[in-house]
Amino acid sequence: MRINASMNESMMRRAIERKREGEALPAATWESIVGAYMQGAIDDDQMAALLMACVFRGVNIDEATALTRAMVMSGATLSYPEGIFVVDKHSSGGVSDVVSLVSVPLVAACGVRVAKFSGRALGHTGGTVDKLETIPGFVVAPALEAFVRQVERVGCAIAAQSDSFVPADKRLYRLRDRTGTVPSVGLIAASIVSKKVAGGANAFVFDVKCGSAAFMRDPRAATELGAALVEISRGFEREAHAIVTDMNEPLGRYIGTGLEVIEARDVLRGAIDDPRTREGCLRVATEMLELAGVEEPHVQAQAALANGSGYEKLLEMIEAQHGDVQALEAMQPSQAAEPVVADRDGYVTEIDGVALGNNVREWNAHDSFAGMRLRVRVGDRVAKGEPLADVYGSAPHRQRVERAFRINSHAPEPRPFVYATI
Amino acid sequence: MRINASMNESMMRRAIERKREGEALPAATWESIVGAYMQGAIDDDQMAALLMACVFRGVNIDEATALTRAMVMSGATLSYPEGIFVVDKHSSGGVSDVVSLVSVPLVAACGVRVAKFSGRALGHTGGTVDKLETIPGFVVAPALEAFVRQVERVGCAIAAQSDSFVPADKRLYRLRDRTGTVPSVGLIAASIVSKKVAGGANAFVFDVKCGSAAFMRDPRAATELGAALVEISRGFEREAHAIVTDMNEPLGRYIGTGLEVIEARDVLRGAIDDPRTREGCLRVATEMLELAGVEEPHVQAQAALANGSGYEKLLEMIEAQHGDVQALEAMQPSQAAEPVVADRDGYVTEIDGVALGNNVREWNAHDSFAGMRLRVRVGDRVAKGEPLADVYGSAPHRQRVERAFRINSHAPEPRPFVYATI
């Protein structure tokens, strides 16, 4: 980190005032601010005021790129040897989001290296790291050298975001969370891209979830975020695609840390053929392959799913990270309880992913293999007494689960699965 | 101060988010926020974010009143015995603003008690407290009991804002200054009214300065502030008037701490008859008398000026505050330097009060009786070589003084002195 003698309290006040009045701050100012903040030369109160002004005035692409660069410089970065092309993917967070667990081995099975850094559960959404930890022995935080070697040798690795990456983002995110300054597309994009850049991959796919169970509810805002993510990435010579996908109901059929590992396993070995889950995983895998220049990427991704090579790669990756492959193959949900059933005839018009995600997170605190399997999708016709969801483990708050399903006499309007690709 | 167990970090975050989304916060929330902030239960970063959201979303009269009430409750308050009616006045700050020094004794000479709390110089503007300190012996910070007794016995007193009043305003103002969150009409009004309410007077006149040498440049914003000050005051059962007066050039002819005391003295004893200075002082005195129910207040104020009773009251007040009256009568400017002269024929179109105020403040740091006397007003016709201002004391930065006068071939548009009365 460079010394930023050039930023002090009174200069920061002027920067805040300029942003407050709607000016874009120069790149050098953003770099000085982040540097001085990390050195303790600028306090949280001034930073919070600047962030709130950013929420109102926005942060343009040049500013977000400068902010991203400054955040990346605050910590360690990875890089791969010349000639090795590595992709990474990011999801903005959803319920039953098994995309990483399925798409990463699929892409690697097609010969494209994937170095995936993942997060923990946040709010009602699941975290890939938490899910992987249900596999006995699986090392979610390997040494960075071991991670790089695995990517080179096995073709893929999934690890928890390293603490050594982007410490500025950690401090800023904590401050934004405390001060109500999270919802700014530019700030969100800078936070996401900084971690991807530090991770060292050459290209990124951003899966921006959109809908009632996503952090972005509105397709327009999600598309704006997707575009910002792609544009900022290009400022770092990283090719990127973004897709805005539906999160008005859970992506997969299973909700729960262990259950989503089971779901990913069974999708990869062909034991589950749910169209929505498949589409979510294959779209992201296809975008990743396309960024790596693979011909007919969709055909390749489908083949890796159909011929079992994706599943083989999953096992290889788990083994490389010291996970117990036999335990994975033997994994099953906790004991089944009475299913949740429809209390009337009609159409399923809503499945509240936030409520279901929050409930299952509570259950998983005690039992990693508690959770539920959806028996219906939005739009399905059900008869009174028909099961809506299987419940596993001794799950409290069943009524909350029942209330998460809405059944009406009229079928809901069909919704697209992909709202935009950028 | 009450215990505010009801406000913590997560409730504060929700309050910030509500304000950010444009909601007005309930009175109880404002009270909890200020109480918790003063107790250290809420940190500066969250408060700064809330204040910035207030700058963008505004603070309505109910909110500003609740904030004012909470700030008043943070410290000591004064009150006068039943049956004694006391007025106070406030100026939003200007250059050569001698209104307090002239109007306070004038009003008291008309039989209406005045309890005036004043501030120090701020930026380019002068402070009545700094001016009074140039009178040998004058006590600017009497004990509050002595202050109250003086108001009752002499009829008027001017003292520095007590440190025991409104500590929440001090902390909040310092934070606003650091974080670029000063410019919010509601926050400014709450800050001003809280100190007036704590001072215990029954009625207030707010002299809101407006123009290039004022903190409010735009008459519309100044009028909005005046209206907020009056409305918030009424929430505390205080009658109030506001007048928006011109500060596009200095109010009086003299600029300097000691020189403005000389000017006030000489206006009160009839030795200076400058129409702009007289109007500024008489308008405020008239409003104060009117609030106290005095009949024909303007006639009364003029009479107190003409018959010397205002001057007698000034001397009486100074004596009561241990000031040396003979020293006051003997006060004169430091040695005169070469005057600043016009470098061309034409009309004076601008006298930059900010530049003049800033320069004289620097001089006064070494010599309380350094300063300047304006020989011209905006709109006056001058010939090349004619004096624009007399300069007193060994004044550096003369060129900056010369540059503060702009002379053009066309006369400027005349400006009103009073923009609004509320």
Side-chain angles (χ1 to χ4, degrees), chain B residues 5 25 32 50 62 67 73 102 137 156 168 183 201 254 272 288 326 333 351 360 371 374-375 395:
Chain B
L25 301 181
S32 298
L50 178 66
D62 288 344
L67 175 59
M73 289 187 330
V102 174
C156 62
Y254 288 79
I272 293 181
M288 291 165 82
Q326 266 147 22
I351 301 175
V360 173
L374 301 173
R375 297 282 289 265

mmCIF file of all heavy atoms in Angstrom, chain B residues 5 25 32 50 62 67 73 102 137 156 168 183 201 254 272 288 326 333 351 360 371 374-375 395:
data_model
loop_
_atom_site.group_PDB
_atom_site.id
_atom_site.type_symbol
_atom_site.label_atom_id
_atom_site.label_comp_id
_atom_site.label_asym_id
_atom_site.label_seq_id
_atom_site.Cartn_x
_atom_site.Cartn_y
_atom_site.Cartn_z
ATOM 1 N N ALA B 5 -32.398 3.251 25.989
ATOM 2 C CA ALA B 5 -32.072 1.853 25.724
ATOM 3 C C ALA B 5 -32.693 1.411 24.408
ATOM 4 O O ALA B 5 -32.332 0.390 23.856
ATOM 5 C CB ALA B 5 -32.586 0.985 26.859
ATOM 6 N N LEU B 25 -38.797 10.811 9.912
ATOM 7 C CA LEU B 25 -38.668 9.994 11.121
ATOM 8 C C LEU B 25 -39.566 10.563 12.227
ATOM 9 O O LEU B 25 -39.694 11.776 12.363
ATOM 10 C CB LEU B 25 -37.212 9.977 11.606
ATOM 11 C CG LEU B 25 -36.181 9.442 10.610
ATOM 12 C CD1 LEU B 25 -34.783 9.471 11.235
ATOM 13 C CD2 LEU B 25 -36.526 8.031 10.163
ATOM 14 N N SER B 32 -34.574 9.621 20.523
ATOM 15 C CA SER B 32 -33.740 8.468 20.878
ATOM 16 C C SER B 32 -32.367 8.566 20.234
ATOM 17 O O SER B 32 -31.355 8.220 20.847
ATOM 18 C CB SER B 32 -34.405 7.172 20.426
ATOM 19 O OG SER B 32 -35.622 6.993 21.069
ATOM 20 N N LEU B 50 -26.629 9.347 8.542
ATOM 21 C CA LEU B 50 -27.978 9.902 8.707
ATOM 22 C C LEU B 50 -28.003 11.377 8.297
ATOM 23 O O LEU B 50 -28.920 11.823 7.588
ATOM 24 C CB LEU B 50 -28.437 9.765 10.161
ATOM 25 C CG LEU B 50 -29.813 10.352 10.461
ATOM 26 C CD1 LEU B 50 -30.912 9.590 9.730
ATOM 27 C CD2 LEU B 50 -30.101 10.358 11.967
ATOM 28 N N ASP B 62 -41.671 19.123 11.613
ATOM 29 C CA ASP B 62 -41.896 18.253 12.778
ATOM 30 C C ASP B 62 -40.597 17.561 13.197
ATOM 31 O O ASP B 62 -40.297 17.440 14.391
ATOM 32 C CB ASP B 62 -42.944 17.180 12.459
ATOM 33 C CG ASP B 62 -44.335 17.779 12.361
ATOM 34 O OD1 ASP B 62 -44.530 18.928 12.832
ATOM 35 O OD2 ASP B 62 -45.220 17.116 11.789
ATOM 36 N N LEU B 67 -35.855 17.221 16.733
ATOM 37 C CA LEU B 67 -34.391 17.263 16.853
ATOM 38 C C LEU B 67 -33.980 18.406 17.776
ATOM 39 O O LEU B 67 -33.114 18.243 18.654
ATOM 40 C CB LEU B 67 -33.784 17.436 15.456
ATOM 41 C CG LEU B 67 -32.276 17.627 15.354
ATOM 42 C CD1 LEU B 67 -31.513 16.456 15.968
ATOM 43 C CD2 LEU B 67 -31.862 17.790 13.877
ATOM 44 N N MET B 73 -32.608 19.249 25.348
ATOM 45 C CA MET B 73 -32.603 18.372 26.529
ATOM 46 C C MET B 73 -31.208 17.848 26.865
ATOM 47 O O MET B 73 -31.004 17.280 27.932
ATOM 48 C CB MET B 73 -33.551 17.181 26.304
ATOM 49 C CG MET B 73 -35.008 17.598 26.322
ATOM 50 S SD MET B 73 -36.173 16.172 26.269
ATOM 51 C CE MET B 73 -35.275 14.937 25.367
ATOM 52 N N VAL B 102 -25.942 47.411 18.590
ATOM 53 C CA VAL B 102 -26.798 48.608 18.540
ATOM 54 C C VAL B 102 -28.227 48.285 18.987
ATOM 55 O O VAL B 102 -28.817 49.008 19.798
ATOM 56 C CB VAL B 102 -26.800 49.208 17.111
ATOM 57 C CG1 VAL B 102 -27.800 50.363 17.004
ATOM 58 C CG2 VAL B 102 -25.398 49.670 16.727
ATOM 59 N N GLY B 137 -11.839 44.832 30.486
ATOM 60 C CA GLY B 137 -12.602 44.401 31.650
ATOM 61 C C GLY B 137 -13.914 43.710 31.347
ATOM 62 O O GLY B 137 -14.479 43.038 32.221
ATOM 63 N N CYS B 156 -30.771 44.476 29.856
ATOM 64 C CA CYS B 156 -30.125 43.738 28.762
ATOM 65 C C CYS B 156 -28.768 43.210 29.188
ATOM 66 O O CYS B 156 -28.142 43.734 30.115
ATOM 67 C CB CYS B 156 -29.983 44.578 27.496
ATOM 68 S SG CYS B 156 -28.967 46.043 27.665
ATOM 69 N N ALA B 168 -25.229 18.731 22.698
ATOM 70 C CA ALA B 168 -25.474 17.903 21.503
ATOM 71 C C ALA B 168 -25.248 18.712 20.234
ATOM 72 O O ALA B 168 -24.769 18.186 19.220
ATOM 73 C CB ALA B 168 -26.901 17.350 21.518
ATOM 74 N N PRO B 183 -25.018 21.917 4.978
ATOM 75 C CA PRO B 183 -26.083 22.611 4.254
ATOM 76 C C PRO B 183 -27.415 21.869 4.189
ATOM 77 O O PRO B 183 -27.771 21.301 3.173
ATOM 78 C CB PRO B 183 -25.505 22.815 2.852
ATOM 79 C CG PRO B 183 -24.529 21.720 2.688
ATOM 80 C CD PRO B 183 -23.971 21.436 4.042
ATOM 81 N N ALA B 201 -35.181 32.968 26.510
ATOM 82 C CA ALA B 201 -36.002 34.131 26.138
ATOM 83 C C ALA B 201 -37.386 33.669 25.675
ATOM 84 O O ALA B 201 -37.584 32.506 25.317
ATOM 85 C CB ALA B 201 -35.305 34.942 25.056
ATOM 86 N N TYR B 254 -17.516 49.974 9.065
ATOM 87 C CA TYR B 254 -16.275 49.538 9.693
ATOM 88 C C TYR B 254 -16.169 48.017 9.687
ATOM 89 O O TYR B 254 -17.174 47.332 9.905
ATOM 90 C CB TYR B 254 -16.224 50.000 11.155
ATOM 91 C CG TYR B 254 -16.007 51.490 11.333
ATOM 92 C CD1 TYR B 254 -17.050 52.401 11.177
ATOM 93 C CD2 TYR B 254 -14.739 51.979 11.691
ATOM 94 C CE1 TYR B 254 -16.848 53.760 11.352
ATOM 95 C CE2 TYR B 254 -14.532 53.347 11.877
ATOM 96 C CZ TYR B 254 -15.593 54.234 11.701
ATOM 97 O OH TYR B 254 -15.388 55.580 11.886
ATOM 98 N N ILE B 272 -22.535 58.734 13.769
ATOM 99 C CA ILE B 272 -22.507 58.100 12.436
ATOM 100 C C ILE B 272 -23.947 57.997 11.973
ATOM 101 O O ILE B 272 -24.798 57.517 12.708
ATOM 102 C CB ILE B 272 -21.900 56.682 12.496
ATOM 103 C CG1 ILE B 272 -20.413 56.741 12.853
ATOM 104 C CG2 ILE B 272 -22.100 55.961 11.162
ATOM 105 C CD1 ILE B 272 -19.749 55.379 12.912
ATOM 106 N N MET B 288 -38.026 43.234 17.387
ATOM 107 C CA MET B 288 -37.937 42.791 18.784
ATOM 108 C C MET B 288 -38.998 43.491 19.631
ATOM 109 O O MET B 288 -39.680 42.865 20.461
ATOM 110 C CB MET B 288 -36.535 43.073 19.340
ATOM 111 C CG MET B 288 -35.450 42.188 18.709
ATOM 112 S SD MET B 288 -33.768 42.806 19.018
ATOM 113 C CE MET B 288 -33.481 42.144 20.655
ATOM 114 N N GLN B 326 -15.025 54.301 30.343
ATOM 115 C CA GLN B 326 -14.148 55.386 29.876
ATOM 116 C C GLN B 326 -13.249 54.895 28.729
ATOM 117 O O GLN B 326 -13.020 55.619 27.755
ATOM 118 C CB GLN B 326 -13.310 55.934 31.029
ATOM 119 C CG GLN B 326 -13.993 57.148 31.666
ATOM 120 C CD GLN B 326 -13.728 57.262 33.159
ATOM 121 O OE1 GLN B 326 -12.748 56.709 33.660
ATOM 122 N NE2 GLN B 326 -14.613 57.957 33.871
ATOM 123 N N PRO B 333 -9.415 53.854 16.281
ATOM 124 C CA PRO B 333 -8.705 52.906 15.431
ATOM 125 C C PRO B 333 -7.206 53.053 15.583
ATOM 126 O O PRO B 333 -6.708 54.094 16.003
ATOM 127 C CB PRO B 333 -9.126 53.294 14.017
ATOM 128 C CG PRO B 333 -10.383 54.090 14.164
ATOM 129 C CD PRO B 333 -10.265 54.774 15.490
ATOM 130 N N ILE B 351 -18.362 44.966 -3.554
ATOM 131 C CA ILE B 351 -17.414 45.039 -2.428
ATOM 132 C C ILE B 351 -17.431 43.659 -1.803
ATOM 133 O O ILE B 351 -18.445 43.238 -1.242
ATOM 134 C CB ILE B 351 -17.832 46.121 -1.394
ATOM 135 C CG1 ILE B 351 -17.914 47.506 -2.069
ATOM 136 C CG2 ILE B 351 -16.843 46.140 -0.227
ATOM 137 C CD1 ILE B 351 -18.427 48.616 -1.147
ATOM 138 N N VAL B 360 -9.312 41.150 7.461
ATOM 139 C CA VAL B 360 -9.325 41.864 8.733
ATOM 140 C C VAL B 360 -9.216 40.876 9.895
ATOM 141 O O VAL B 360 -8.567 41.162 10.897
ATOM 142 C CB VAL B 360 -10.574 42.764 8.833
ATOM 143 C CG1 VAL B 360 -10.677 43.375 10.214
ATOM 144 C CG2 VAL B 360 -10.508 43.856 7.769
ATOM 145 N N GLY B 371 -8.078 47.381 10.985
ATOM 146 C CA GLY B 371 -9.289 47.125 10.230
ATOM 147 C C GLY B 371 -9.457 48.153 9.144
ATOM 148 O O GLY B 371 -8.480 48.753 8.689
ATOM 149 N N LEU B 374 -15.083 51.644 5.243
ATOM 150 C CA LEU B 374 -15.485 51.795 3.841
ATOM 151 C C LEU B 374 -15.849 53.244 3.574
ATOM 152 O O LEU B 374 -16.629 53.847 4.320
ATOM 153 C CB LEU B 374 -16.685 50.897 3.527
ATOM 154 C CG LEU B 374 -16.485 49.403 3.756
ATOM 155 C CD1 LEU B 374 -17.817 48.665 3.561
ATOM 156 C CD2 LEU B 374 -15.425 48.855 2.808
ATOM 157 N N ARG B 375 -15.311 53.807 2.511
ATOM 158 C CA ARG B 375 -15.659 55.183 2.126
ATOM 159 C C ARG B 375 -16.724 55.179 1.040
ATOM 160 O O ARG B 375 -17.261 56.226 0.703
ATOM 161 C CB ARG B 375 -14.395 55.910 1.628
ATOM 162 C CG ARG B 375 -13.323 56.055 2.713
ATOM 163 C CD ARG B 375 -13.659 57.188 3.678
ATOM 164 N NE ARG B 375 -13.491 58.448 3.028
ATOM 165 C CZ ARG B 375 -12.398 59.213 3.081
ATOM 166 N NH1 ARG B 375 -11.384 58.832 3.849
ATOM 167 N NH2 ARG B 375 -12.318 60.353 2.438
ATOM 168 N N ALA B 395 -1.275 46.959 8.107
ATOM 169 C CA ALA B 395 -2.057 45.875 7.529
ATOM 170 C C ALA B 395 -1.329 45.211 6.367
ATOM 171 O O ALA B 395 -1.048 45.865 5.374
ATOM 172 C CB ALA B 395 -3.394 46.436 7.035
#
